[in-house]
Amino acid sequence: MPDKTMTADEAVSRLRDGMTVGIGGWGSRRKPMALVRALLRSEVSGLTVVSYGGPDVGMLAAAGRIRRLVAPFATLDSIPLEPHFRAARERGALDLMEVDEAMFLWGLRAAANRLPFLPVRAGLGSDVMRVNPGLRTVTSPYDDGETFVAMPALRLDAALVHVNRADRRGNGQYLGPDPYFDDLFCEAADTAYVSCERIVDTAELAKGGPPQSLLVKRHRVTGVIEAPGGAHFTSCAPDYGRDEEFQRTYATTPWPEFAARCLDGDEQAYRAAVGRRP
């Protein structure tokens, strides 16, 4: 079995301008922030970002890296609306395809199964069809004749996700209360990069949790990045909770000042800036 370990910067070096990149996690929970920071250190731009949005979206939008966003929301959870995303959206810095959470999920499922779309009831009777004029409906070919939204597949060039543990082969394990949809992001993507709190032997994964905690399968993974604290300042339960104090600093600091204070330099410089040890 190949050893897929690499650094965050090595993973990001494989991304290109204009790619469609899916980012796992949910809001301000288990986001692959070490990979996002590596992306911010690069020159990659013009991205289509697909995400249950949190500070990943806020930071990339503030830095001008997103051309188009596909998301049901952008939130910091304890702070309802991601402020840097809001500022970018208000100044017209990016295009937005806003869809219902279930529509988003079905788009990932369609991509994971290499289908052009999947029918879903979510979105009907709402303004989602008005604000997304490219969406279409389909009629059931059976006797019910029901109408559905035809949610297009959210195919990804690359996926970035963060889990609690992984092995060198690319098997990834979550140990928290919710898997979110990180496995679907990986399955919907041509390449997938998984950061983790700790790389362990494969046998240790089996001891660390039940079989269903082995969320990400090695055959879907291109690279594995060991990044202790790699979800900071979002949560990565049970390893650590959200850093609410630092999140408030992020949310209330003008982007140029925040970027200069916390994002200039490598990952070790970031840790020093926020006073966080691996």
Side-chain angles (χ1 to χ4, degrees):
M1 295 289 181
D3 185 329
K4 299 179 181 178
T5 56
M6 60 180 65
T7 67
D9 290 329
E10 287 171 339
V12 166
S13 73
R14 302 183 178 204
L15 305 183
R16 297 292 179 266
D17 290 352
M19 277 187 165
T20 298
V21 177
I23 304 178
W26 179 285
S28 193
R29 287 171 269 180
R30 214 176 69 225
K31 284 289 181 178
M33 297 305 293
L35 291 171
V36 171
R37 291 190 288 271
L39 186 51
L40 288 166
R41 290 193 296 270
S42 77
E43 298 298 323
V44 176
S45 190
L47 298 173
T48 294
V49 171
V50 178
S51 174
Y52 286 102
D56 54 326
V57 166
M59 289 185 177
L60 292 171
R65 305 304 182 87
I66 301 178
R67 178 183 61 83
R68 181 172 183 259
L69 174 66
V70 182
F73 52 73
T75 179
L76 298 178
D77 293 322
S78 57
I79 299 172
L81 183 59
E82 218 291 347
H84 295 293
F85 157 75
R86 179 180 62 191
R89 179 65 177 155
E90 287 176 348
R91 67 176 181 267
L94 53 86
D95 294 327
L96 175 64
M97 180 182 182
E98 183 179 8
V99 294
D100 176 271
E101 293 172 18
M103 295 173 67
F104 188 98
L105 169 59
W106 247 238
L108 289 177
R109 289 193 185 281
N113 287 281
R114 301 303 187 260
L115 296 171
F117 73 92
L118 277 174
V120 59
R121 291 189 178 92
L124 293 173
S126 75
D127 275 348
V128 73
M129 304 298 290
R130 179 183 62 79
V131 300
N132 295 292
L135 288 176
R136 299 290 182 264
T137 58
V138 292
T139 303
S140 169
Y142 299 104
D143 291 342
D144 59 276
E146 189 172 353
T147 297
F148 300 93
V149 175
M151 180 62 199
L154 296 177
R155 289 298 306 273
L156 309 173
D157 294 308
L160 310 177
V161 305
H162 187 78
V163 295
N164 300 90
R165 306 287 184 267
D167 66 14
R168 295 178 178 275
R169 301 173 180 177
N171 297 297
Q173 181 178 49
Y174 81 99
L175 298 175
D178 197 324
Y180 311 123
F181 302 104
D182 290 356
D183 54 334
L184 290 181
F185 277 97
C186 294
E187 291 169 13
D190 294 334
T191 58
Y193 301 95
V194 179
S195 61
C196 64
E197 294 296 314
R198 187 159 60 94
I199 291 177
V200 300
D201 292 335
T202 304
E204 191 172 336
L205 293 176
K207 298 175 183 177
Q212 60 267 32
S213 69
L214 298 174
L215 184 66
V216 177
K217 310 302 187 294
R218 65 176 185 265
H219 68 283
R220 297 290 190 182
V221 173
T222 309
V224 179
I225 300 92
E226 186 172 54
H232 184 267
F233 51 94
T234 73
S235 63
C236 186
D239 292 304
Y240 47 86
R242 183 164 52 242
D243 188 337
E244 296 287 1
E245 181 180 356
F246 187 80
Q247 178 166 274
R248 285 192 295 272
T249 297
Y250 162 74
T252 57
T253 303
W255 173 252
E257 179 183 340
F258 178 85
R261 183 193 309 172
C262 299
L263 300 179
D264 283 351
D266 60 14
E267 191 68 7
Q268 288 303 115
Y270 171 80
R271 294 178 186 280
V274 303
R276 181 178 179 85
R277 298 178 180 177

